[in-house]
Amino acid sequence: MMISMLKTDYKSELKQFYKPGRRHVEKVDVPEMQFVMIDGDGAPGGLSYAHAVEALYSVSYTLKFMVKRELALMDYGVMPLEGLWWAEDMSDFITRKKDRWLWTLMIMQPACITSAMFGTALARVRLKKELPALDRLSFVPFCEGPAAQILHVGSFDEEGPAVERVHKFIEESNRKLTGKHHEIYLTDIRRAAPVNWRTVIRQPMV
């Protein structure tokens, strides 16, 4: 008989990082967490991007079921997709020449996940599916440190004012931008109208 277990909601447990408000820019100090990551380039929504997302979620859900069903450690909700964005010529990022964008897509993993478990999950997904991006995945720690963030509600192409507010907050705090533009996608865009999309806009600072 399977023993039921409570489901951990990491978005709520880590709400200071995954549930900011939309009215005011907030300062956070993001600790080291571990992620399954993949690097790529090109426009969001393009083929390379789609393959990366498919590989990330396939491995993340395989890890979730390993933890719950085989190890009986816990149950948890798979965390949302996150993206680090930049361009070799940052003017291409500002003018939204999306085909020249570079990105790292990633999904946070609970502390109980190990490198060995990640390797097992990769192997299992590889046996079931032929995913073009699977072998480009990595399992690494990532520490963002001090950052400013706000919640944007609406389509991705309307993020400009929210990004400007974050940058202005950093400037007025006598800090400087560092690292990469960070977005956390809280909405399944397949099931919601763009006007309701919820995205965390985050910018590291020093």
Side-chain angles (χ1 to χ4, degrees):
M1 182 176 66
M2 181 177 293
I3 300 176
S4 62
M5 59 182 72
L6 294 176
K7 189 171 185 176
T8 300
D9 181 357
Y10 281 107
K11 283 191 294 186
S12 293
E13 288 198 359
L14 300 169
K15 63 181 180 180
Q16 66 268 46
F17 310 120
Y18 288 92
K19 292 186 175 182
R22 61 182 296 188
R23 296 183 65 183
H24 305 287
V25 178
E26 302 173 7
K27 179 182 176 182
V28 290
D29 194 350
V30 188
E32 181 175 287
M33 292 183 273
Q34 56 185 13
F35 292 82
V36 175
M37 292 185 172
I38 184 169
D39 295 328
D41 59 79
L47 188 59
S48 176
Y49 184 95
H51 286 163
V53 171
E54 182 182 29
L56 278 172
Y57 274 112
S58 294
V59 169
S60 294
Y61 273 100
T62 298
L63 286 167
K64 165 191 166 70
F65 292 128
M66 287 170 58
V67 169
K68 178 182 178 181
R69 297 177 180 175
E70 298 175 24
L71 302 178
L73 292 176
M74 62 183 297
D75 188 14
Y76 63 90
V78 170
M79 290 295 280
L81 180 70
E82 307 186 33
L84 306 177
W85 296 88
W86 73 103
E88 291 185 1
D89 180 347
M90 283 305 291
S91 66
D92 291 334
F93 195 74
I94 296 170
T95 57
R96 305 191 70 78
K97 295 179 180 177
K98 299 180 181 181
D99 59 319
R100 301 183 185 179
W101 287 4
L102 304 172
W103 40 260
T104 298
L105 298 181
M106 56 196 195
I107 296 177
M108 194 278 277
Q109 306 296 321
C112 63
I113 303 296
T114 65
S115 294
M117 293 168 64
F118 171 69
T120 299
L122 271 181
R124 292 184 179 182
V125 174
R126 191 177 289 113
L127 285 173
K128 293 180 179 180
K129 304 177 181 179
E130 293 185 6
L131 301 183
L134 191 64
D135 290 333
R136 291 166 38 217
L137 295 180
S138 60
F139 179 66
V140 293
F142 177 62
C143 184
E144 201 158 27
Q149 65 181 22
I150 196 169
L151 179 68
H152 167 69
V153 179
S155 74
F156 302 139
D157 286 332
E158 297 173 344
E159 291 176 358
V163 175
E164 289 177 4
R165 289 181 66 189
V166 170
H167 290 186
K168 183 178 180 181
F169 175 88
I170 294 173
E171 180 182 351
E172 292 179 346
S173 301
N174 294 317
R175 309 291 287 268
K176 295 181 179 180
L177 280 65
T178 188
K180 297 166 182 173
H181 174 81
H182 188 167
E183 298 185 355
I184 303 173
Y185 308 108
L186 303 178
T187 305
D188 184 345
I189 64 173
R190 299 169 301 177
R191 301 179 181 179
V195 69
N196 295 320
W197 293 353
R198 299 167 65 249
T199 306
V200 178
I201 305 295
R202 182 186 295 163
Q203 176 62 52
M205 60 186 179
V206 292

